[in-house]
Amino acid sequence: MRIRQRIGKMKNSKKMFILIEAALAMAVIILAVIMFLGNNVNDRERVSVIVQNSDDSQWAAFKYGLKMAAEDQKIEMFVVGTEGAMSAEDEKNVIEQEIDNGADALIIQPAAGEDTEEMLKDISQRIPVLLVESETLGDKESPEIPVIQADNYSMGRTLAEELLKEYDGNLEGKTIGIAVETEALEATRSRREGFMDGLEESGADVRWSVSGAFGQGRKSLEAQPTVDLVVALDDRSLTAAGEAAAKNDLHGALVYGIGNSSEAVYYLDIGVAECLVVPDEFSVGYQSLTRLAENLRRFFKSAEGSTVTHTVIRKENLFTEENQEIIYTMSQ
């Protein structure tokens, strides 16, 4: 009887030992998983931002949005210093450098060029990528790389509608010059398409279109034939047109355009520019970083693209509360 009792106790002790060992093993596995996930999250919280001419004032609201999102998400964010327009090869080199420096995700304004799309698709297979100021790559319903930007076509069309309001829907006999920084970007082409569609059957005569830095020489705005209206489809073109108009070098042409810098607002305020269509670049920056942060912290969750709004600002509504909030983001 005693032998049976001893055998029973031994069996119970053995079961208890096995249970304790299994529990310890499970605890070790759980701890290892927690440590792995924790380290992985901490190691993957650096986002690099690569845009053209990053120190230009047109990026002020965008960078302020990035900064606010970085604080809210407690994530490291770095805007790469760039000058002028990068080629696809230049941009690839910068991207590779940032990956080597420890970037775990990228926010990119794609460079113009046929090689850019394939390059970005390749990079997106290695780390999360989100695009700004770009058209969707691949199927618009299921894009290969998410994009956050204003609706460029709609902004161009809105600009045309604002012009038509000034002339009761009839631009018969009015001449227009169009200024853009570069023709190569999809965003520029969409804005132009929207603007031209908006002018259809208005009777307007688009006399010239010029792109570039608008410095001295034949590409300068001052060197173009005299027109009634100068339409700028991006911020740098708008500020160039505003500067020329302030010097009376546009021969009395009225300036309308798309702009998102404090300089653009200044030319509106002093009456040199008649109307600004302003994309919500703060939201572009804030949403971009927020969605990439969520992507990095929620495994198997991909960042999603979206379209932000735009606002029409004229001198008479410059100081409304809503517009002052928009202007504030441009000065940060």
Side-chain angles (χ1 to χ4, degrees), residues 53-87:
N53 202 26
S54 61
D55 288 334
D56 194 274
S57 60
Q58 67 177 303
W59 297 112
F62 171 71
K63 289 194 284 189
Y64 186 50
L66 290 172
K67 179 184 175 182
M68 292 296 99
E71 291 180 4
D72 290 345
Q73 296 295 322
K74 295 179 174 55
I75 195 168
E76 183 182 354
M77 181 274 298
F78 177 70
V79 179
V80 180
T82 59
E83 293 184 5
M86 290 183 290
S87 66

Side-chain angles (χ1 to χ4, degrees), residues 202-253:
S202 69
D205 173 19
V206 178
R207 185 157 293 180
W208 50 260
S209 178
V210 65
S211 63
F214 310 119
Q216 300 300 314
R218 63 184 181 85
K219 276 198 170 184
S220 68
L221 295 177
E222 297 91 326
Q224 307 310 311
T226 301
V227 290
D228 299 307
L229 308 163
V230 171
V231 173
L233 297 181
D234 54 75
D235 187 80
R236 297 197 81 186
S237 302
L238 189 283
T239 54
E243 182 180 2
K247 296 176 181 177
N248 202 29
D249 288 335
L250 294 185
H251 316 293

Side-chain angles (χ1 to χ4, degrees), residues 294-311:
E294 292 172 349
N295 181 200
L296 291 172
R297 292 168 180 168
R298 299 178 187 175
F299 297 96
F300 309 113
K301 175 181 172 63
S302 297
E304 297 180 354
S306 66
T307 301
V308 303
T309 60
H310 57 268
T311 302

Side-chain angles (χ1 to χ4, degrees), residues 21-270:
E21 287 291 310
L24 289 173
M26 183 62 69
V28 169
I29 292 171
I30 292 172
L31 181 62
V33 170
I34 291 173
M35 291 178 64
F36 172 77
L37 293 177
N39 289 336
N40 199 39
V41 168
N42 290 333
D43 289 342
R44 295 186 59 173
E45 289 191 345
R46 184 179 190 275
V47 176
S48 290
V49 182
I50 302 169
V51 296
Q52 311 279 331
N53 202 26
S54 61
D55 288 334
D56 194 274
S57 60
Q58 67 177 303
W59 297 112
F62 171 71
K63 289 194 284 189
Y64 186 50
L66 290 172
K67 179 184 175 182
M68 292 296 99
E71 291 180 4
D72 290 345
Q73 296 295 322
K74 295 179 174 55
I75 195 168
E76 183 182 354
M77 181 274 298
F78 177 70
V79 179
V80 180
T82 59
E83 293 184 5
M86 290 183 290
S87 66
E89 186 62 29
D90 293 335
E91 189 164 70
K92 181 179 180 181
N93 291 336
V94 174
I95 289 170
E96 293 292 352
Q97 180 179 327
E98 288 307 300
I99 293 175
D100 291 342
N101 288 340
D104 296 294
L106 298 166
I107 296 172
I108 302 172
Q109 178 197 18
E114 297 179 357
D115 300 330
T116 303
E117 184 171 338
E118 287 305 315
M119 180 268 289
L120 291 175
K121 288 178 182 178
D122 177 64
I123 296 296
S124 69
Q125 297 301 311
R126 297 158 58 187
I127 63 174
V129 173
L130 189 145
L131 304 182
V132 294
E133 306 297 325
S134 171
E135 295 299 299
T136 301
L137 299 185
D139 183 1
K140 289 191 176 184
E141 297 299 322
S142 182
E144 297 182 48
I145 304 177
V147 181
I148 295 181
Q149 64 170 347
D151 186 333
N152 289 298
Y153 178 88
S154 179
M155 284 198 296
R157 185 148 194 143
T158 297
L159 194 55
E161 291 168 355
E162 291 301 314
L163 271 180
L164 290 168
K165 287 179 184 178
E166 294 287 299
Y167 297 94
D168 297 324
N170 183 9
L171 292 174
E172 192 72 42
K174 296 296 180 182
T175 54
I176 298 175
I178 297 176
V180 296
E181 184 178 5
T182 174
E183 297 276 7
L185 295 176
E186 284 293 332
T188 300
R189 290 197 283 267
S190 290
R191 291 177 184 186
R192 180 191 292 277
E193 182 183 359
F195 180 70
M196 297 305 295
D197 285 353
L199 287 186
E200 194 173 8
E201 298 182 2
S202 69
D205 173 19
V206 178
R207 185 157 293 180
W208 50 260
S209 178
V210 65
S211 63
F214 310 119
Q216 300 300 314
R218 63 184 181 85
K219 276 198 170 184
S220 68
L221 295 177
E222 297 91 326
Q224 307 310 311
T226 301
V227 290
D228 299 307
L229 308 163
V230 171
V231 173
L233 297 181
D234 54 75
D235 187 80
R236 297 197 81 186
S237 302
L238 189 283
T239 54
E243 182 180 2
K247 296 176 181 177
N248 202 29
D249 288 335
L250 294 185
H251 316 293
L254 301 179
V255 176
Y256 291 74
I258 297 171
N260 49 279
S261 67
S262 54
E263 287 89 347
V265 173
Y266 167 75
Y267 289 122
L268 182 69
D269 188 28
I270 65 173

Side-chain angles (χ1 to χ4, degrees), residues 155 158 259 276-280 309-313 317 322-323 326:
M155 284 198 296
T158 297
L276 288 181
V277 176
V278 183
D280 185 0
T309 60
H310 57 268
T311 302
V312 175
I313 301 181
N317 67 2
E322 180 184 359
N323 289 341
I326 294 171

